[in-house]
Amino acid sequence: MKRWVRKPKLLPLCGIGFFVGILLCLFCGQGDGCLRPESLLQVQARTEDGGKLLFSLLFIRGKWIVLLLLAATTYLAPICCGMTATWMGWSLGAFLTMALRQYHLKGVLLLPAALLPQWLFYAPATWLLLKWCMSLYEGIYLKQKLSKKACLASLFLLLAMMGMGIYLESFWNPKILHGILERF
């Protein structure tokens, strides 16, 4: 098979997405964003049921994981992985810019409140997922050596890490976010 898509460099795409997210938020504004004071007051007043949030997040995060896993078996794997890396950078840049624009230096506290502790697992798991998808693509379409045992072990590890991130986002993150918003 002829290779029609080159392997994307994921880290530079993530960096480009980060700067594009910053620039878009600076020049286009935040519009009707989730970081408006009214929205944060609603989040602060609401108590989350961890079980309901867990199933909701399993569905939301799970569908993207499954779509990426399926894309890894097609010619679209490099494009999907590149777009995912760019989107991750863009969303981080946009969130940070909106928080700083709305709340100045105090807005920097919103970033760890919104992302911790789950992103301690999501970030490496997503990176591992993108690498896994690219190695599967290379094994299927570029006929590079692919170890089934290593592939399954990596898949199990990344799914366990994603599961831990979902658990933390469901049960711990709402408490952290409420704690920060009470002092905000």
Side-chain angles (χ1 to χ4, degrees), residues 46-97:
R46 185 175 52 212
T47 58
E48 295 291 336
D49 177 23
K52 287 181 183 176
L53 190 57
L54 178 69
F55 287 111
S56 173
L57 287 172
L58 278 172
F59 177 73
I60 292 168
R61 306 277 185 257
K63 70 180 175 185
W64 292 110
I65 293 168
V66 169
L67 284 174
L68 270 174
L69 293 176
L70 290 175
T73 62
T74 69
Y75 271 116
L76 298 176
I79 294 169
C80 291
C81 290
M83 288 174 53
T84 301
T86 306
W87 174 78
M88 285 177 56
W90 176 84
S91 59
L92 182 63
F95 184 84
L96 184 59
T97 303

Side-chain angles (χ1 to χ4, degrees), residues 103-152:
Y103 302 105
H104 309 290
L105 285 179
K106 189 170 70 169
V108 173
L109 292 175
L110 284 176
L111 193 63
L115 299 180
L116 293 177
Q118 69 270 19
W119 270 96
L120 296 175
F121 289 93
Y122 282 159
T126 303
W127 193 257
L128 186 59
L129 176 64
L130 294 177
K131 291 291 188 182
W132 185 88
C133 288
M134 288 308 301
S135 67
L136 188 63
Y137 165 79
E138 291 167 357
I140 294 172
Y141 294 104
L142 304 181
K143 305 298 184 207
Q144 293 182 3
K145 186 178 177 185
L146 184 65
S147 167
K148 289 181 184 178
K149 196 179 282 188
C151 193
L152 287 175

Side-chain angles (χ1 to χ4, degrees), residues 22-40:
I22 290 172
L23 292 174
L24 282 176
C25 284
L26 285 176
F27 295 115
C28 298
Q30 71 179 5
D32 214 20
C34 63
L35 294 178
R36 290 188 339 254
E38 304 85 36
S39 298
L40 291 180

